[in-house]
Amino acid sequence: MALKRVGKHTVKFENPPKIIGTASIVGPKEGKGPLKDYFDIILDDDTLGKDSYEKAECTMMYTVVNEVIKKSGLKSDDIDYFLAGDLLNQTISANYAARDLEIPFFGLYGACSTMTESLSLGAMLMDGGFADHVIASTSSHFSTAERQYRYPLEYGSQRAESAQWTVTGSGAMLLGNEGDYPEVTYVTTGVVKDYGILDSANMGAAMAPAAIDTLNTHFKDTGRTPDYYDIILTGDLGNVGRKLTINLLKEYNYDISKVYNDCGSLIFFDDEQNTQSGGSGCGCSAVVYCGYLYKKMMMKEIKRALIISTGALMSTTSSFQGESIPGIAHAVAIEFD
Amino acid sequence: MALKRVGKHTVKFENPPKIIGTASIVGPKEGKGPLKDYFDIILDDDTLGKDSYEKAECTMMYTVVNEVIKKSGLKSDDIDYFLAGDLLNQTISANYAARDLEIPFFGLYGACSTMTESLSLGAMLMDGGFADHVIASTSSHFSTAERQYRYPLEYGSQRAESAQWTVTGSGAMLLGNEGDYPEVTYVTTGVVKDYGILDSANMGAAMAPAAIDTLNTHFKDTGRTPDYYDIILTGDLGNVGRKLTINLLKEYNYDISKVYNDCGSLIFFDDEQNTQSGGSGCGCSAVVYCGYLYKKMMMKEIKRALIISTGALMSTTSSFQGESIPGIAHAVAIEFD
């Protein structure tokens, strides 16, 4: 077994890559939510002046990548790899952002797990000695996701109580080796879990088994217990999936309730913002990690975090064909003692 | 700059990972083409008995992954990562194959560049010390791609002379450190190139600039010239893109014509099989590398190969919105002296 592996599905970094910067952008609704003070850019206009929502989403990702490069004082040429994906068919937000960036690009598809998927792979490219700087990014947009996955926006359709609201937002993390910054210490990579959920308006329930499996594996592989962490933050199970995760992890003898939250539960005032079970979309965990969590860590209010983005891996085609919804979750430990 | 980097966008492996096995599966049409003797499994029925072409494509990928594991004498539990993607919306072929495999999974989207994208990342995870065995895989299916990207199959629409025929097939490569097998020595990662091509029936022209850029970068970064290689094999530019690549690389003072071919040009008898500019789809380069090339290398008929899968990163939505077609190409050097 390779030296950097710990347990079954976890790697431990020899030279933990540092998150030397983040950038986040959100739409107007997210900018009125409880985390508004943590985002770098809050849009007044979720079209960004573009003639389609898809082009707007792409521009959001391009903007955060440029923003995180600018903040760091580096140039685009200094970035060795750009790892990104999004929810749209053929991941066009990431592809067209990459077109304008001229950075070697690996496109990913992990649905809403993309933030920790890109961070996991990016951290391995860093610690493996293949890169000095990597950017990991993802995005989502309420209006692109809604019209691709669900209904035409003009319908104004009713929403189930278990439904989540796709976050309009994008986040980017810049990995490097220099300076005093939070470090990526462990990565636990998820396997696909499918407990037969067919209801695409209940993604929390579809993704919870994957989150539970990855958390259980992470604890077993590292020997850590939930209380090692100041915060365990899944994204985006929402309120329904969050409760399932707490309850079902108890069956594996792990009680995470004291330190646990979910990005989808944090980002909106669900009652007054009418967001049912909370936020979702790749951009949800991206902006909560890049905005809220990273800033809390830089202020040393949080020192040890375990983040787990969760993805639902179906398509409209697979749902039409009667397939259930497979989920995946990737965990990344970030520490700054 | 990290130690394993060479030049601008290339990495050189310290402990080159070995391709310890491959498996390939193709449809009936590919099984009547010029490379038929090199494929492991030729299907009589491109539905594989499933009730949709999408489920058939997923089953093809699942089959080659199991086949390559079986050939190696390993168990599914011995595989540390499964890296895969495909052309379908939300990469459902890879996702649902991963569901049944129980191997830690990173989903990718690189359109038809996915074979060398997955191989590039897989080789870095190996050499970085994060894995002992990795499987890289991709698939495509004529009937799923045609109905998702182009026209309902029932139309029987006419095809442009520059159009390519999506290959029904899937390939998987198994990376390991043991035994006497072809080694992955260099990886050159592509940047997205877009020269403004709008015609989605001329993908060869859309992707050729990316192939040319990555080849030029690879030669510059490594100091190698085209004659170092026994074969340089792009996939899948087809006949139109292949000629463009030869001609335009001459402007960079590299003449690849003596050692160069394209997977899309090799897989069909274009005249009698009515495949216009040749084959395409993620499965095209996957089965040509996993079938034809790997077997030629194992017989020592080819010792030094440079493979470059090329992807067109548009979607139907981006095309409807007037966007041009961005391309990407990732190069991997495989050597077995």
Side-chain angles (χ1 to χ4, degrees), chain B residues 127-302:
Chain B
D127 184 65
F130 305 109
D132 290 320
H133 296 102
V134 171
I135 289 179
S137 179
T138 184
S139 66
S140 57
H141 192 298
F142 176 81
S143 297
T144 64
E146 195 72 7
R147 69 186 186 178
Q148 177 181 281
Y149 284 105
R150 298 180 189 97
Y151 302 102
L153 295 165
E154 294 77 2
Y155 273 23
S157 58
Q158 281 197 310
R159 302 166 60 81
E161 219 176 324
S162 57
Q164 292 169 246
W165 188 277
T166 306
V167 163
T168 297
S170 180
M173 295 187 184
L174 172 57
L175 299 175
N177 291 312
E178 61 274 26
D180 192 28
Y181 294 104
E183 295 182 346
V184 179
T185 53
Y186 288 88
V187 160
T188 302
T189 304
V191 298
V192 178
K193 291 286 162 185
D194 187 336
Y195 281 25
I197 301 284
L198 293 164
D199 179 5
S200 64
N202 192 357
M203 304 289 260
M207 298 188 288
I212 293 158
D213 183 69
T214 300
L215 282 163
N216 182 43
T217 301
H218 178 81
F219 295 137
K220 284 214 163 44
D221 284 354
T222 59
R224 291 179 171 179
T225 50
D227 60 1
Y228 178 85
Y229 292 104
D230 301 325
I231 192 167
I232 295 174
L233 198 49
T234 52
D236 44 3
L237 298 172
N239 304 323
V240 171
R242 179 169 54 91
K243 285 172 201 151
L244 286 171
T245 301
I246 292 174
N247 290 336
L248 291 172
L249 257 176
K250 286 184 182 155
E251 294 185 13
Y252 294 95
N253 297 313
Y254 292 113
D255 182 0
I256 57 170
S257 60
K258 288 199 191 74
V259 293
Y260 175 60
N261 220 320
D262 180 78
C263 298
S265 298
L266 288 174
I267 195 163
F268 293 119
F269 296 113
D270 293 326
D271 288 341
E272 58 186 89
Q273 290 193 294
N274 198 23
T275 45
Q276 290 78 37
S277 186
S280 68
C282 304
C284 179
S285 67
V287 300
V288 176
Y289 299 151
C290 292
Y292 172 76
L293 178 70
Y294 188 72
K295 291 181 183 177
K296 286 273 190 197
M297 292 193 84
M298 287 303 287
M299 294 185 288
K300 304 260 180 159
E301 290 177 24
I302 293 172

Side-chain angles (χ1 to χ4, degrees), chain A residues 188-257:
Chain A
T188 302
T189 303
V191 298
V192 177
K193 291 287 162 185
D194 187 335
Y195 280 24
I197 301 284
L198 292 163
D199 179 5
S200 63
N202 192 358
M203 305 290 259
M207 299 188 289
I212 292 158
D213 183 69
T214 300
L215 282 163
N216 182 41
T217 302
H218 178 80
F219 295 135
K220 283 217 163 44
D221 284 355
T222 60
R224 291 179 172 179
T225 49
D227 60 2
Y228 178 85
Y229 292 104
D230 300 324
I231 192 167
I232 295 174
L233 199 50
T234 52
D236 42 2
L237 297 173
N239 304 324
V240 172
R242 180 169 54 91
K243 285 171 202 155
L244 287 172
T245 301
I246 292 174
N247 290 337
L248 291 173
L249 257 175
K250 286 184 184 157
E251 296 186 12
Y252 294 95
N253 296 314
Y254 292 112
D255 181 0
I256 58 171
S257 60

Side-chain angles (χ1 to χ4, degrees), chain A residues 1 4 99 128 132 194 321, chain B residues 1 4 52 99 128 132 194:
Chain A
M1 198 52 109
K4 296 174 185 173
R99 179 181 68 178
D132 290 320
D194 187 335
Q321 293 183 2
Chain B
M1 198 53 108
K4 295 175 185 172
S52 77
R99 179 182 67 178
D132 290 320
D194 187 336

Side-chain angles (χ1 to χ4, degrees), chain B residues 10 32 39 254 256 280 330:
Chain B
T10 301
K32 295 185 184 75
F39 303 125
Y254 292 113
I256 57 170
S280 68
H330 303 297

